[in-house]
Each structure stands twice: as C-alpha cells, then as structure tokens.
Amino acid sequence: MSRSPMAAPRSFLWTRRVFLTLLTGFVLLPVYVMVSSSLKPLQDVSSKFRWLPSELTIRPYIDIWSTVPLAKYFVNSLIVAGAATVCSVVIAVFAAYAVSRYEFRGKRVFSVTVLSTQMFPGILFLLPLFLIYVNIGNATGIALFGSRGGLILTYLTFSLPFSIWMLIGYFDSVPRDLDEAALVDGCGPLRALFKVVVPAAIPGIVAVAVYAFMTAWGEVLFASVMTNDATRTLAVGLQGYSTQNDVYWNQIMAASLVVSVPVVAGFLLLQRYLVAGLTAGAVK
Amino acid sequence: MTTTTASAQPGERTVGKSSPGTARGPRRRPGRIRRIGLPYLLLLPALLLELLVHLVPMVIGIVMSFKELTQFYIRDWTVAPWTGLDNYSLSVDFDAPVGEALLHSFLVTCAFTVLSVGLCWLIGTAAAICMQDAFRGRGLLRAIFLVPYALPVYAAVITWAFMFQHDNGLVNHVLHDQLGLTDKPSFWLIGDNSFVALLVVSVWKGWPFAFLIVMAGLQNIPKELYEAAALDGAGVWQQIRRITLPSLRPVNQVLVLVLFLWTFNDFNTPFVLFGKAAPEAADLISIHIYQSSFVTWNFGAGSAMSVLLLLFLLLVTGVYLFLTSRSARTPRAARASRERKTADV
C-alpha cells in the first residue's frame, strides 16, 4: 500500500493536508446543518441562519411523528425496500450462477441486455409502467397503481440488473474447482450453489443487498408517482413538513436524520463488503 | 473473506471421492440433458421479471410515442389515436416552443453532466491518491467521505435545499453576511444560480463513488512499480503522473461511463432540490420529460422524448465503448495515447 517513505516531499504532504481538510469540511457541512438545525426551535430555522442554536431543544424529534404520519411512511419504506432487495438478490443469485458457471446459447445476449438496461433512464420505464398499472387496475380491479406490490415491481427495474451484473463478477471470482468438486461428489447443481458458491460469495451478496436496499430507500421518481396516501414512502412523505404557511425546517432536518440513521449505520457497518463487491463488479 | 470460507471445503471433497467410476457411468446421459436445460431454468425467474419490468414497458413506451396520448386517454391508452411521427417531429422541431425547450434542456443536461462527472472524477481521484499512504485517522476520514454516498438522496438534498434558502440559508449567511462577497443575498433555487446549486449538490453526492472505485483500482497497482520509480529518483508527483494515473486507465474507463449515465439520467437530485418544475437554467432532461408527461399530461410527447434520450445514450455509450476497447486491443496505440495523456497532465 504505502509508497516508499523517502519519496513524500513536504509539498505533497501540505497539499494533501489542505485538500483533505477542505474536502472534509465540504462533506460534513450539510451533516452539521442537519444535526444542529434539528435541535433548534422553529424561530431559529425560520429567520436568519445561525451556526449555533439559540436554545437546544428535542421538540422537533417529538413533533415529527405527529406533523406527518412518519411512522407509517417508515414502515412503507421498510416493506418496499426490503421486499425489492430480497426479490432482486434471490433472483439474481440464480441468474448470476447460470451465467458464471454454464455455457449456453443466448448467454451473451442475456449479459449484454442486463448490462445495457443499466443505462436506461428511469423515466423511460415510469411512463409505460404507470399506464400499464392504471390499465390493469381498470380492467381487472387489481390495484397495482398505488400499491406496495406495484412499487416493489418497479424498483426491480434498477435493482435487478445491477444485482445480476455485480453477482456475475463476484461468482466469477469464486474458484470453479470448489463447486466442480461438489458436483463430482454427487451434489446437484443447486446444492453446489447453496453449499459452496453462495457461502464463498457472501461478501458480494451482502454488498448487492446493501446497495439494492440503499437505492430503494432513497428512490424518489417512482415513489412520487406510484404511491397514494396509504402507501407513501419516506421519499415523498418528507415533503409533508412544508405547509402553505410554514416550512418546519427543524422537523424536516430531524426527520431526515431519523430516516438516514438506519441506512448510514448499515452502510458504515457493511462498507467493507460493499467496497469489495464494487471492486469485483466494476473494476474487473 | 472468500478464502476463509472456501478453505472449509477440501475436507468434504476428499471424503466423497470414494467410487467415481461406477456411479457416474450409467447416469451420464440424463445428467447431461439436465445440465443443458439447467441454465435456462436458473435464468427463468430473472428472464420473466426482465420481460415484465423492462421489455414490455419498453415496447409499450415505443408504441406510446407514436400515439396521441393526452389526458383523455389515460384510462385506456390503447384506444388513443395513432399520430405517426408527430410526437417526434414536435420534439425535434427546434423552432417551435416544445422542441426549443427540449433542446435547451438537453444542452443544459450535457453541460451539467460534463462538469459534474469531471469534478466528481477529479475530487475522487485526488482524494483516493491522497489516502493511498497510511496515516493517522485514515480509516475515520474514509468513513466520513462515504457519508454523502450512504445518505438517502432526499434527506441529503433537502438539507442542501435548506442551505440554499434565500432568507434563512447558510450559503447566503456565509457569502453575504459573514464574508460580504455579494451585494445582496442571492437566489440559489431559482434563476441562473440554480445551475451552480445543482452542480454543487451533484458533486457533493457523486464524488464518493469515484473515490471508492479509484481506491479499489489503486490497490491493484503493484508496489514494485513505485519502488522501482523511487530508485530511479522519481518523486511523489512524478510517480503519480507516470505510474498512478496511467495504471488507473482501465478503471477510469468504466468509472466515467457509469458516472456519465447516472448523472445524465439523474432525476432525484433536481426533483428534491427544485420540485416538479426546475428553473430554466437547471432544467435537466429527466425532469423536463417528467414535466411534459405528468404535469401537462402529454404522455405521447414524453415517450417520444424518452426514446430519443435512450437513442442518444445508446449512441454515446456505443461510441465510447468502441473507442476505449479499440485502444485496449492495440497495446501500442494505447501506450501512445497514454503517454500523450500523461504529457498533458
């Protein structure tokens, strides 16, 4: 990792120190604003910005749950992001195993298709899916539009191709000898997958799951079109803190912190896996 | 991680190898048939879902773009009348209001994407190179740098929106009240400044991904290269120019493409920052299409614009992949262009 010690001159060390300090400030500035504003009374955040609160209060953290039904949005987001993650990871494990371990006709077409759907703008799928859901609803009475199930399905548009793509890279890095040995021993291919390949690729699978969950948790486009009052997720629900007369910035900041804590904590806890997964998927 | 889990396996392997010849002979045929079908069976769930969430919507999207799909036909889009290429000619007629607005939005998106990707790459690479050597607090700094990446988009961007407020925002407080750089507090979320605001937020949110990928790429550079260079008397700056940057080239090719596609298609950032209608100076294409479709309820035109956008992205990606893979195939050309590149840096 480290370069030879004699080679780092003062100019490099100083440039590094200044650059990293400025960058840390840039990164942490919004975090500071978020934390400090969430502890301010309303008059502080509605008038001129101040670095320090005039008085510290945890009132916003109590009020956020009653101003908008935050708990409901939280549960909705949890269900939608969780289900989308589980679906895409399970399905991607099978698909990636097939692509990584078998030769078959159409393999290239499949991989290229999966890879290229990465580049499709979400808006391209939003319009047709919206109309399909509305039409299915009108024709059969099944309310896909506005339902959690419908939203989960739309989230697969981005989490599934990404999961497949990253897992192929990860499975490729698991030595073939391992599962071939299991096959020779009389394991079926599925047992070889679950007894050998999946355990060896756990870091990659965790990485994919974390990533899928994070993107679903932070998704705004589909959530803003495809949800109604009952199924609203956090991404849309947070807008409820601005009313016609008042914008409760302290509550918005408190709610932002509350919805961020689970993903940021999960991410920092699992970031080693995520970085390893991204490396296997993106760099190779 | 991989190796520790894997090392548990060899024990099992030797136990099972007792009678390989007799058992496998007669079972070979059915086994082979199963194996041919198996990959397709494994792919089946993925194929079905891909069909459901990608192929069908895409085909319908293309069909929609040839229809006059206004609010009157939302309930049943299939009965909307065909209009042929009208939606497309409307979109690319740059003298008429619709086409002019689309062209403007497209150019804004291009400028925004180039600047954002460039800055993300630059900051990410610089940070990764700075963190290549071990120093005290490196682990903590790395965790801090990943925070913008981990925060949910709406939580992070809404905080920026608060900071950019005209009356009670931090940005105006610092620039006007504390530093006195502006005559009067500026508007950041409307007017020309909104482009700058969007760019700042986008770079803040996007550079950690470049940082992550470049850091991973740096680990693949053999240490001996640096040692040899140091022996030859090359300083840190020269090592960065001659070894680090050229070695990162394959990583950068993927990174820039991914950043380009994400930034160009980004909807979340401008939507949370500006709401349903972005200011003209920051009218990104995805927001523009969203507005043409869901605010003015013209799905036909919106679909045509989406298809045009997709064609553009396919073209750019195709050209990019062609250029980068060609230089990778001919090592001499690659080396030449690498040397040219390093000379420029």
Side-chain angles (χ1 to χ4, degrees):
Chain A
M1 223 16 198
S2 86
R3 255 182 256 110
S4 64
M6 53 154 279
R10 290 176 72 95
S11 67
F12 177 75
L13 290 180
W14 272 106
T15 317
R16 179 168 85 180
R17 211 164 289 165
V18 171
F19 175 70
L20 289 181
T21 308
L22 287 176
L23 196 57
T24 311
F26 178 53
V27 165
L28 287 183
L29 193 62
V31 179
Y32 174 76
V33 169
M34 210 191 266
V35 176
S36 67
S37 304
S38 74
L39 295 166
K40 287 175 181 174
L42 186 61
Q43 73 262 22
D44 269 22
V45 288
S46 332
S47 53
K48 204 161 263 313
F49 179 85
R50 42 195 310 157
W51 288 95
L52 295 172
S54 63
E55 56 165 316
L56 280 176
T57 170
I58 55 158
R59 196 74 226 165
Y61 285 92
I62 300 163
D63 292 341
I64 48 173
W65 306 96
S66 52
T67 310
V68 304
L70 188 67
K72 192 171 79 180
Y73 300 154
F74 213 95
V75 172
N76 283 338
S77 276
L78 212 57
I79 292 173
V80 171
T85 304
V86 171
C87 287
S88 59
V89 169
V90 169
I91 293 166
V93 162
F94 289 116
Y97 181 61
V99 172
S100 167
R101 290 302 196 259
Y102 291 97
E103 285 302 326
F104 55 89
R105 285 178 63 145
K107 174 169 158 170
R108 234 189 105 69
V109 176
F110 180 80
S111 326
V112 170
T113 312
V114 167
L115 200 67
S116 56
T117 49
Q118 293 269 323
M119 77 169 75
F120 295 174
I123 196 94
L124 182 79
F125 300 113
L126 178 73
L127 307 179
L129 280 170
F130 170 72
L131 288 187
I132 293 172
Y133 287 1
V134 169
N135 275 329
I136 289 181
N138 289 337
T140 63
I142 301 171
L144 271 175
F145 179 70
S147 75
R148 294 199 199 96
L151 195 59
I152 292 166
L153 209 57
T154 58
Y155 281 5
L156 293 172
T157 54
F158 49 83
S159 62
L160 189 63
F162 185 86
S163 305
I164 295 176
W165 184 50
M166 249 170 74
L167 281 181
I168 291 174
Y170 225 94
F171 284 176
D172 279 347
S173 70
V174 175
R176 257 160 193 274
D177 305 352
L178 289 179
D179 46 309
E180 268 165 15
L183 288 174
V184 169
D185 287 353
C187 271
L190 281 183
R191 277 198 53 194
L193 169 64
F194 284 111
K195 293 271 173 193
V196 181
V197 181
V198 167
I202 278 291
I205 293 171
V206 172
V208 172
V210 171
Y211 187 85
F213 190 86
M214 269 173 52
T215 35
W217 191 258
E219 206 281 331
V220 179
L221 173 63
F222 289 100
S224 70
V225 175
M226 300 280 198
T227 56
N228 58 27
D229 281 346
T231 56
R232 197 140 293 160
T233 59
L234 291 167
V236 196
L238 241 54
Q239 290 163 11
Y241 292 103
S242 11
T243 61
Q244 289 212 307
N245 305 320
D246 258 319
V247 183
Y248 300 111
W249 280 112
N250 51 350
Q251 291 190 40
I252 295 181
M253 294 298 112
S256 296
L257 257 176
V258 169
V259 306
S260 302
V261 164
V263 275
V264 175
F267 177 81
L268 291 182
L269 219 62
L270 299 169
Q271 51 129 328
R272 273 185 41 211
Y273 297 117
L274 191 86
V275 174
L278 279 173
T279 323
V283 178
K284 277 163 195 162
Chain B
M1 206 52 56
T2 314
T3 40
T4 44
T5 5
S7 59
Q9 305 303 328
E12 274 181 35
R13 203 193 308 177
T14 38
V15 172
K17 262 187 180 163
S18 48
S19 54
T22 45
R24 264 165 76 222
R27 287 219 324 251
R28 184 176 287 162
R29 234 184 106 73
R32 232 170 80 203
I33 289 168
R34 256 196 27 223
R35 278 211 177 181
I36 292 168
L38 187 76
Y40 296 110
L41 207 64
L42 289 169
L43 280 181
L44 194 66
L47 281 176
L48 280 178
L49 263 177
E50 286 279 327
L51 206 70
L52 204 67
V53 297
H54 281 134
L55 214 62
V56 172
M58 214 160 72
V59 171
I60 290 182
I62 293 171
V63 173
M64 272 163 58
S65 67
F66 294 107
K67 289 193 161 224
E68 191 195 320
L69 203 56
T70 53
Q71 67 264 44
F72 307 111
Y73 302 104
I74 297 291
R75 279 188 65 84
D76 190 2
W77 65 276
T78 46
V79 298
W82 292 94
T83 59
L85 288 169
D86 276 10
N87 287 325
Y88 288 93
S89 50
L90 190 72
S91 302
V92 296
D93 180 7
F94 300 134
D95 295 326
V98 174
E100 199 192 337
L102 182 67
L103 182 66
H104 170 81
S105 163
F106 174 75
L107 294 177
V108 166
T109 312
C110 286
F112 166 75
T113 306
V114 168
L115 285 172
S116 176
V117 171
L119 284 169
C120 284
W121 177 82
L122 201 66
I123 298 177
T125 305
I129 289 175
C130 283
M131 311 258 291
Q132 202 177 1
D133 295 325
F135 57 86
R136 219 169 33 162
R138 189 174 68 158
L140 176 71
L141 211 54
R142 206 176 88 142
I144 289 174
F145 284 171
L146 294 180
V147 165
Y149 184 70
L151 279 174
V153 179
Y154 47 86
V157 178
I158 220 168
T159 308
W160 277 103
F162 175 52
M163 291 161 66
F164 280 124
Q165 290 296 306
H166 180 258
D167 296 324
N168 54 348
L170 171 143
V171 175
N172 274 345
H173 179 64
V174 170
L175 292 185
H176 179 71
D177 303 345
Q178 296 194 311
L179 298 177
L181 291 176
T182 47
D183 294 340
K184 55 180 189 304
S186 338
F187 286 97
W188 293 99
L189 300 177
I190 51 174
D192 289 344
N193 287 337
S194 55
F195 185 84
V196 180
L198 183 63
L199 189 64
V200 168
V201 179
S202 170
V203 170
W204 179 85
K205 202 168 66 64
W207 79 267
F209 180 75
F211 170 68
L212 268 181
I213 298 294
V214 172
M215 238 178 11
L218 287 178
Q219 293 185 0
N220 295 336
I221 303 175
K223 226 193 304 183
E224 295 80 52
L225 281 181
Y226 290 116
E227 280 160 11
L231 278 180
D232 289 346
V236 176
W237 296 112
Q238 266 187 316
Q239 290 177 21
I240 291 173
R241 249 178 45 196
R242 304 275 177 199
I243 300 170
T244 313
L245 290 176
S247 309
L248 282 175
R249 204 158 163 261
V251 176
N252 282 334
Q253 285 176 356
V254 181
L255 174 64
V256 167
L257 182 65
V258 171
L259 278 178
F260 164 77
L261 290 171
W262 283 352
T263 314
F264 205 93
N265 292 330
D266 191 15
F267 175 88
N268 297 340
T269 313
F271 187 76
V272 179
L273 203 57
F274 304 121
K276 281 184 175 136
E280 215 184 317
D283 187 24
L284 294 194
I285 197 108
S286 50
I287 285 275
H288 189 82
I289 296 175
Y290 177 89
Q291 231 221 336
S292 325
S293 315
F294 285 93
V295 179
T296 59
W297 296 105
N298 193 343
F299 285 91
S303 300
M305 291 176 193
S306 305
V307 174
L308 289 174
L309 172 61
L310 178 64
L311 289 178
F312 171 76
L313 292 175
L314 281 173
L315 184 78
V316 172
T317 310
V319 169
Y320 183 83
L321 288 178
F322 176 73
L323 288 178
T324 50
S325 71
R326 196 183 52 175
S327 60
R329 265 205 306 275
T330 51
R332 270 177 80 193
R335 210 178 315 132
S337 80
R338 203 180 309 153
E339 266 153 27
R340 233 180 297 126
K341 215 173 171 187
T342 38
D344 290 344
V345 174

